[in-house]
Amino acid sequence: MTSTLFHVKQTDIEWLRRLDVSRETITRLEAYVALLLRWSPTIRLISRGDEDRIWQRHVLDSLQIIPLLRSLVPPAGDFGSGAGFPGLILSIALGWPWHLVESDGRKVAFLLEAARLTGAMVIVHRSRVEMTSLPPLKIITARGFASLTALLSHAADKLAPEGVCFFYKGQSAASELTQARHQWHMDVTCHQSLTNPSGVILQISGVTRARSLPLSNI
């Protein structure tokens, strides 16, 4: 690993500018990346293989939903925040308050230090999602945290009536949707990931639990 890894490449700067990310914000993101690369060898925030592609694999991947958020407003929450993808990154870029829920104390310590360093307006909760008290959330994000069925179970009682979820998923997205529809009704829009050919962003609203059919109707 070299000290140049935390500096964003020119090609990525152009990508960030298309998202209207300012130079000042890019500097804050660089400070975040530098901190993450210092902490990760100790508490394994990202895999070693991702260190040399951290901007594309993690930062830009997190930020790609900015255009989908333009018409929305906080409060926002991020489930299973880990190293801060995507909630902390989005908070830095948008200047929005974001509730970050993470149960691992070491990762919570990192999130708090990253928030202090970057000035991100985040509220960090050291707790399991199901045990966390949150205001009705108009935005919920999660990346690499749990199956879609589990995410919807966590989100159902924390999502405002007009709230929207943005769940980052990989190759299993289609099968997870099929499984989740056995238990949940929802409106879903699938957005192809801009950074991962096999990835999608599931934009989900109108989440309600599916009612089981009476035995007489089966």
Side-chain angles (χ1 to χ4, degrees):
M1 183 180 71
T2 68
S3 60
T4 61
L5 290 180
F6 64 82
H7 293 300
V8 60
K9 298 176 182 178
Q10 184 60 39
T11 53
D12 293 333
I13 287 177
E14 293 170 3
W15 205 95
L16 289 165
R17 285 175 177 164
R18 288 198 295 272
L19 294 173
D20 294 326
V21 177
S22 69
R23 178 66 250 187
E24 178 185 4
T25 299
I26 292 173
T27 299
R28 293 166 67 204
L29 290 170
E30 286 178 327
Y32 162 83
V33 169
L35 181 72
L36 184 146
L37 291 173
R38 289 199 302 271
W39 281 55
S40 190
T42 302
I43 62 175
R44 192 44 55 201
L45 294 166
I46 61 173
S47 69
R48 291 190 183 279
D50 284 347
E51 289 178 353
D52 62 353
R53 54 177 186 152
I54 186 171
W55 283 92
Q56 187 77 15
R57 176 70 179 86
H58 295 294
V59 179
L60 299 181
D61 188 63
S62 296
L63 293 176
Q64 67 177 295
I65 68 168
I66 285 179
L68 305 177
L69 300 176
R70 295 296 188 194
S71 63
L72 304 177
V73 294
D78 186 51
F79 293 170
S81 293
F85 307 121
L88 177 61
I89 301 299
L90 289 166
S91 178
I92 293 170
L94 295 170
W96 288 3
W98 221 282
H99 292 271
L100 308 182
V101 184
E102 174 55 53
S103 61
D104 187 316
R106 300 170 304 165
K107 293 177 181 177
V108 166
F110 170 77
L111 292 171
L112 290 169
E113 177 59 16
R116 184 199 67 77
L117 180 67
T118 62
M121 294 190 296
V122 296
I123 305 94
V124 182
H125 303 265
R126 182 181 179 181
S127 176
R128 296 176 62 86
V129 174
E130 64 271 23
M131 303 295 292
T132 308
S133 178
L134 297 167
L137 298 171
K138 294 188 178 180
I139 301 165
I140 294 177
T141 56
R143 180 177 181 266
F145 173 55
S147 70
L148 181 57
T149 299
L151 284 170
L152 292 171
S153 296
H154 292 317
D157 64 347
K158 293 178 168 57
L159 193 64
E162 71 279 21
V164 184
C165 300
F166 296 91
F167 297 145
Y168 296 62
K169 288 294 178 179
Q171 294 178 335
S172 65
S175 61
E176 289 189 43
L177 267 171
T178 299
Q179 185 65 32
R181 289 187 190 279
H182 293 309
Q183 299 182 36
W184 299 97
H185 294 307
M186 59 193 131
D187 299 317
V188 182
T189 302
C190 295
H191 303 277
Q192 178 62 49
S193 172
L194 301 177
T195 62
N196 179 3
S198 62
V200 297
I201 311 295
L202 299 181
Q203 179 178 338
I204 299 176
S205 59
V207 178
T208 58
R209 187 174 291 276
R211 294 183 179 180
S212 300
L213 291 173
L215 291 177
S216 59
N217 292 338
I218 297 178

